[in-house]
Every structure is written in structure tokens, then in C-alpha cells.
Amino acid sequence: GRDAPGDWPSRGRPPEPAPPGLLRVVVVGDSVVYGSSLDVAPIPGYCIQRSLTPLGWTPDRVAVISAGVPGYSTLQMAWLLRELLASLAPDAVVLWPAAWNDQAPAVIAPDSTMLKGRREHPAREWARDHSLLFAALVPEDHSLPLEEILDGWKRGEPPAGYRVDNSEVAGWVGGQLDDCARAHVPAVVLASAHPPQTAAEHPRTRSDAETVILAAKVEGVPFVDAQAILDASGLDPARAFVDYVHPSPEMNALLGEALAKELAPILETRAAEHAARGEPAPSSTGL
């Protein structure tokens, strides 16, 4: 279907093949970055790419690469980011954390607990994933009935906790920004907007967005407040989202423009740094 990726396990422009000197911006997030419910053209990565073009950063000078994984929490994003920093050596990163999944109810245990279990029992986890005999002899952890999980979540008391506790969000975002700093890769942070009904029924979505902004301020990195962009645009919220959380093409266009303005000076600096090291310069032949 339209959501299927190719050899590159995401949607949109792949990192390879690429000409010498091409700069890379990697957008990291969950299904909002992946572009669930959208065709490929209006996903955030392409909207950023289009908005960079009139600023002089045409697609032959910079590639905006989407690395969104549906269902990922901010904790999982942190592990994905480390892999991308090592494998792609990006020139800039856009982080879009805590859009929805962090405040979703854990089915068995919070993400941090699940990760700790995999660290402490790597052989057990490998065997569970690779051995049918092991799976038959060692039963999986059983979760509560889905209805009970959702009822508790709606009351603000998910029985197994949240995927990522609200007290952990700032630390995970700050950790990602620290990873970028250690890799000498500039980052721009995007804090999500949400439909009015989602904000009312799931208030943690908005508090998480505020936490993301605060983390960016603490780390001293540029950020885009999607809710402020939406409020200032006059766009009807009913047209800004395709469902309870995913931005529409119109909303992604607004965010692409705002992010491009933050990225353009970063890319100028990165191009100058490459030139100072005698590395190939990105093409400037235009489209």
C-alpha cells in the first residue's frame, strides 16, 4: 500500500545514492514524521525540503531524510537517533518527540522497564525472538485485558503505567540533544500541536509539548512550537489534522516552512565547515 517503504525502511527520499558533498538533514520521530494517513508528497520531510528550496537549499544541495517509525516513543527515538548519527553522519537533525505515544498506556510495562529487561537478559530475549521451542516452553508475559487498560488510561490511571512517564520526557529529549552535541550535529526541536478535542481528552499531550520546548531551551537549541504556528496561522484546526494527532498536508506545509527557516543558517554553517576541510561542496546548479 501507500505506506510501504522500500530498501530504506522509511518513506520519502533515501540517504543513498547521493552525490559527493550533498548535505543531509534527518527528521526523527514517530508516525507523524512517517506520514501515516498521508501520501508521500505532503509528509513533513518533503515539506521541509520544498520550503528549503526558495532559501537556496535545493534538493541537489541538501537531502531531507525522513526517519519516522509509527508507534515509537521518545525513548525508542533516542536509540534510533544514535544509530542514525553513527550511520548517516547528518549535517542537521530535526527531533519531533512526544507527539502521542509517550502518554499512551503501557500494555505490559513502561518502555523503560521493557528496555531494562532486554539489557539484563539479552540471551533470553534472543532465544525468545529466534527459537520456536523457547517460545513454546516459556510463556510470554500476559497483559491485562485491553478494555481494562483503556478504562484506566481514560481515568488518568493506566494500570501498567504510561509508555513513558511524564517525569522522564525531559530527560530523554535532553539526552537526544546531548547525543547530537557529542556528534557535533546541530539539532532543531519541534513540539507538537494537537486538535482541541485531543488536548481536552488527553491533556498530557499538551504538557508533553511544553516539556519538549523547555528541554530545548535548557539545551540552548532552536525549536518550533507547532501549536503557536497553528494558532498564528488562522488555519481551522479541523483542516490542520487528518485525525486525532497526525498533521494534515496544510499543517505540514506550515511546519516545513518554519523548520526550513531554522535549518537554512545551520546548513550555511555546515557547508562552510565542509569547505574549510577541503571536502566536496554541495552542487548549486539548481533544479
Side-chain angles (χ1 to χ4, degrees):
R2 67 177 183 175
D3 287 348
D7 292 337
W8 168 243
S10 192
R11 300 172 80 204
R13 187 174 183 176
E16 300 293 345
L22 185 74
L23 301 188
R24 288 173 170 168
V25 175
V26 177
V27 189
V28 186
D30 58 18
S31 58
V32 297
V33 170
Y34 188 82
S36 296
S37 303
L38 299 177
D39 290 325
V40 174
I43 69 174
Y46 271 174
C47 289
I48 296 169
Q49 184 91 67
R50 287 198 300 268
S51 294
L52 281 169
T53 295
L55 302 179
W57 286 99
T58 51
D60 56 348
R61 302 188 69 203
V62 60
V64 180
I65 300 167
S66 176
V69 184
Y72 262 25
S73 68
T74 301
L75 184 156
Q76 291 170 302
M77 280 178 56
W79 286 86
L80 174 61
L81 173 65
R82 291 171 190 170
E83 178 181 326
L84 294 168
L85 289 172
S87 62
L88 296 185
D91 293 281
V93 167
V94 174
L95 297 178
W96 192 333
W100 170 261
N101 297 309
D102 288 10
Q103 61 84 49
V107 175
I108 295 174
D111 283 20
S112 57
T113 302
M114 301 291 283
L115 176 63
K116 182 180 179 182
R118 295 189 73 88
R119 283 174 170 171
E120 292 178 346
H121 306 288
R124 176 188 175 95
E125 294 300 331
W126 186 94
R128 185 185 300 278
D129 291 342
H130 292 79
S131 171
L132 293 175
L133 177 62
F134 183 93
L137 295 176
V138 182
E140 291 281 357
D141 296 323
H142 291 288
S143 63
L144 296 169
L146 181 60
E147 183 177 348
E148 184 175 339
I149 293 172
L150 294 179
D151 285 345
W153 179 49
K154 292 174 182 177
R155 295 193 307 270
E157 300 175 350
Y162 293 100
R163 296 252 333 253
V164 179
D165 192 76
N166 60 339
S167 64
E168 298 177 342
V169 174
W172 282 108
V173 176
Q176 291 179 60
L177 294 174
D178 289 342
D179 286 341
C180 289
R182 280 190 289 269
H184 305 290
V185 177
V188 178
V189 173
L190 193 144
S192 278
H194 296 92
Q197 184 174 349
T198 297
E201 295 180 357
H202 304 280
R204 237 203 80 180
T205 56
R206 297 307 310 143
S207 64
D208 280 355
E210 294 169 0
T211 299
V212 168
I213 292 173
L214 179 59
K217 290 180 177 179
V218 168
E219 297 291 333
V221 302
F223 65 89
V224 170
D225 182 346
Q227 191 67 50
I229 295 291
L230 174 58
D231 294 343
S233 72
L235 179 64
D236 183 351
R239 294 184 56 192
F241 301 91
V242 296
D243 53 22
Y244 58 94
V245 69
H246 297 96
S248 67
E250 293 95 330
M251 185 64 183
N252 279 336
L254 291 173
L255 298 179
E257 183 178 353
L259 288 164
K261 290 178 180 177
E262 297 291 346
L263 288 166
I266 293 174
L267 294 173
E268 295 289 351
T269 299
R270 295 294 279 187
E273 292 172 351
H274 285 294
R277 294 193 293 266
E279 298 170 354
S283 170
S284 56
T285 56
L287 294 173

